Amino acid sequence: MATSRSPLRYLESRKNLTGSACGLAGLALTFTGLAGAFWPVVVAGLYGAGALLAPPERPPLPDFPDPSAQLDELRGDFATLREYLAGVDLPPAAAGRLTELTELLTALLDPGWVAAVLAQDPEGIHALSRAVRQDIPEAVDTFVRTRWWTRLTPGTEPPERHLERQLTLLHEEADRLAVALRETEARRQESHTRYLEDRGRSG
């Protein structure tokens, strides 16, 4: 299939089209008598020169999902994460901090104007994706495994302290993102106010 399409692809390429145009110019010279007996060489040379001078083919851009599709996938992964967290037994303090974190993430990911602003922030989407797909599950899973070892070796530092600290840091990161999104909307509102003021003065 790929082999049969190769000649067609070349026929449609810029090199062939430019070379053909230059070759036609050579034929025109032939008909006017300027190319003389060497017209085949002239036509072939002009075709080759045109093919060399043609701009290179531009490969198509990768078809990456748009931000809205990325958010849809992230919401699905977040739902999977919440199902996993529901089956994990955590100490009350850590469970409370986890609830605060998941509530904030839910507010950021829920469809609506917040998600619309978030869709324009690739770094914000990346930060949420990392938290949902990596940081939170790793923090909880590490706690579960470390807690089992702690029961075998009592007297060591309680693993829930690390979990609480990790969840606190993740909440602070998500909160900074929420503040940044709010500031984006505030700047948008201020810009619209200035636009209306300028339009009023110019009118």
Side-chain angles (χ1 to χ4, degrees):
M1 181 70 69
T3 304
S4 64
R5 288 183 59 87
S6 256
L8 180 60
R9 187 180 302 116
Y10 179 75
L11 288 175
E12 298 173 346
S13 69
R14 295 179 182 177
K15 287 184 177 297
N16 182 55
L17 294 176
T18 306
S20 298
C22 292
L24 288 175
L27 287 176
L29 292 176
T30 300
F31 293 143
T32 58
L34 296 177
F38 299 100
W39 69 267
V41 178
V42 172
V43 172
L46 287 174
Y47 176 89
L52 289 175
L53 293 174
E57 295 293 326
R58 183 175 64 86
L61 291 173
D63 186 18
F64 294 127
D66 60 32
S68 297
Q70 293 180 37
L71 284 177
D72 289 338
E73 293 179 4
L74 186 53
R75 289 186 190 102
D77 291 342
F78 183 52
T80 301
L81 174 65
R82 298 194 70 168
E83 291 177 5
Y84 160 73
L85 296 175
V88 179
D89 181 27
L90 298 179
R97 300 208 173 165
L98 181 61
T99 298
E100 294 174 354
L101 175 58
T102 55
E103 288 178 349
L104 179 54
L105 294 179
T106 298
L108 289 171
L109 288 172
D110 273 351
W113 69 267
V114 176
V117 178
L118 179 60
Q120 306 304 316
D121 184 358
E123 292 184 4
I125 295 176
H126 174 70
L128 288 184
S129 175
R130 183 178 55 197
V132 169
R133 294 169 174 157
Q134 177 182 336
D135 294 334
I136 298 175
E138 182 174 344
V140 174
D141 183 62
T142 302
F143 163 77
V144 171
R145 288 184 285 113
T146 306
R147 179 176 56 181
W148 184 84
W149 284 106
T150 303
R151 291 171 180 171
L152 298 180
T153 56
T156 57
E157 184 179 12
E160 54 265 27
R161 291 182 184 174
H162 286 285
L163 178 60
E164 292 170 18
R165 180 58 180 155
Q166 291 166 6
L167 294 176
T168 298
L169 292 171
L170 289 171
H171 188 280
E172 291 174 353
E173 185 178 79
D175 189 59
R176 286 195 296 271
L177 174 59
V179 170
L181 295 177
R182 179 183 61 79
E183 291 176 348
T184 298
E185 284 298 275
R187 287 193 297 270
R188 179 183 176 188
Q189 184 184 38
E190 292 169 0
S191 296
H192 189 57
T193 300
R194 287 194 297 271
Y195 163 73
L196 292 176
E197 290 173 345
D198 293 341
R199 191 174 70 180
R201 284 193 291 268
S202 63

